[in-house]
Structure formats: structure tokens, C-alpha cells
Amino acid sequence: VIIVGIMGILIHAASASSPAISVEPPFQTVSKGENFTVEIYIDPAGNKTAGAAYLLYFNNTLLNATSLTPGTFFNGYDTLTTGEGINNTAGWIDYGEYITGGGWVNNSGTFTTITFQAIGERGISELRFDKEWTQLSDPDSNEIPNVTVNSGTVETTGAQPSSPFLVYGYVSYENG
């Protein structure tokens, strides 16, 4: 009976999810010149969350960040925005937002939406969170522990043809 009870506790602990901050979608393929968006999505996993911040790196030879828009994660609360925003020269985005005047959220939602333009011909850019500077905090400004960070990846391809084209011909096999 004791073994069954311990196993039940271990199974419950293993199934509990940890809070997470993620790039959504986690992978995209885009063409040079194309504008596209990613969302920074937070799942507090039930934790009372009153603040969030991230530092996100990208390859500035392939991507140019054109806008950063707050999401709906802290809707209904007065917030203070922190961070240096977009730095295309260095290839990073620094953003934070904190509830002022009390309150918290514990439901998942979009924290920010970032619009990028693909400026490079071909390559792969990580959208990589700096684990030290990416964090969630509780209403007492304490860091919420064990936050999972899920970075993303963008693949840039060459420019798409400006107009459709038709390819035709014959296929023949050696055996007729």
C-alpha cells in the first residue's frame, strides 16, 4: 500500500506542467522580403503571474524586427513596460511588462506580437530566449522558478518568382 501511494505521488509530480514562455509558431519558412509575425506566448501553469520579461536574440543578417506590440496577457490591468525594445543592429529584443497597483493572472495568453521582415536570401535564424533574462514574476516581484523557455526557428528562402510560370515537357523511361 505504501509503494502504491508513493508511485501515485511520483506520477502526479511528473504530470504537473511547469510555467513556460514560448515563441509561436516554433518554426516558420519565409521568403526574402516577406513580413511575418511571431507571438510570445505565456503559460503560467496556474501560477499567479504579475510580471514577465524576455530577451530574444535573432540573426540580424536574415531578419529585421519591424514592430513589437503588447498582447492580451495582462488585459484589464495597469502595467509598466520596461526594456530597450528592438535593436536590429545587435539582433535582439528586450521587453518586460509588470502589473502596477496589484493583481495577477494565471491563464495562458499572448504576451507580445513581433513583426519581422526577412532580409536575407537563405539561412536559418533562431529566435532564442536568453534564459537568464527571460522570466516570470509573482505579485510580490519574486521570480517564478522553473520556467521553461521554448525558442523558435525561422528559415529564410530566396525571393519567390514575381509571377507564376509553367514547366512542361516529356518523361521517358529507359524501359519504354
Side-chain angles (χ1 to χ4, degrees):
V1 174
I2 295 174
I3 294 173
V4 172
I6 291 172
M7 287 179 62
I9 292 170
L10 292 174
I11 291 170
H12 177 71
S15 67
S17 64
S18 64
I21 184 166
S22 306
V23 174
E24 294 292 336
F27 177 80
Q28 290 188 67
T29 300
V30 297
S31 301
K32 182 178 179 184
E34 184 178 343
N35 291 322
F36 65 97
T37 61
V38 297
E39 292 183 348
I40 305 303
Y41 188 82
I42 295 176
D43 178 0
N47 288 282
K48 294 179 180 180
T49 305
Y54 65 85
L55 180 57
L56 184 75
Y57 296 104
F58 60 93
N59 183 332
N60 62 351
T61 65
L62 297 174
L63 305 178
N64 185 49
T66 59
S67 70
L68 173 68
T69 307
T72 58
F73 187 67
F74 289 129
N75 262 11
Y77 292 98
D78 292 330
T79 59
L80 172 66
T81 301
T82 63
E84 296 181 33
I86 297 170
N87 185 327
N88 282 310
T89 303
W92 50 256
I93 298 169
D94 177 20
Y95 183 81
E97 193 173 344
Y98 303 89
I99 294 175
T100 60
W104 48 268
V105 298
N106 63 354
N107 293 321
S108 301
T110 300
F111 183 52
T112 58
T113 300
I114 305 167
T115 302
F116 287 97
Q117 182 178 42
I119 59 172
E121 284 292 331
R122 295 185 186 277
I124 295 177
S125 174
E126 282 187 289
L127 300 177
R128 182 178 51 84
F129 289 112
D130 183 304
K131 290 182 181 181
E132 182 179 344
W133 295 103
T134 301
Q135 55 190 287
L136 303 177
S137 59
D138 68 17
D140 295 322
S141 299
N142 297 313
E143 184 176 345
I144 296 172
N146 303 319
V147 173
T148 300
V149 294
N150 299 306
S151 297
T153 306
V154 176
E155 180 179 8
T156 60
T157 60
Q160 295 296 318
S162 59
S163 62
F165 61 94
L166 178 63
V167 175
Y168 65 95
Y170 298 96
V171 176
S172 64
Y173 296 96
E174 289 180 21
N175 64 5

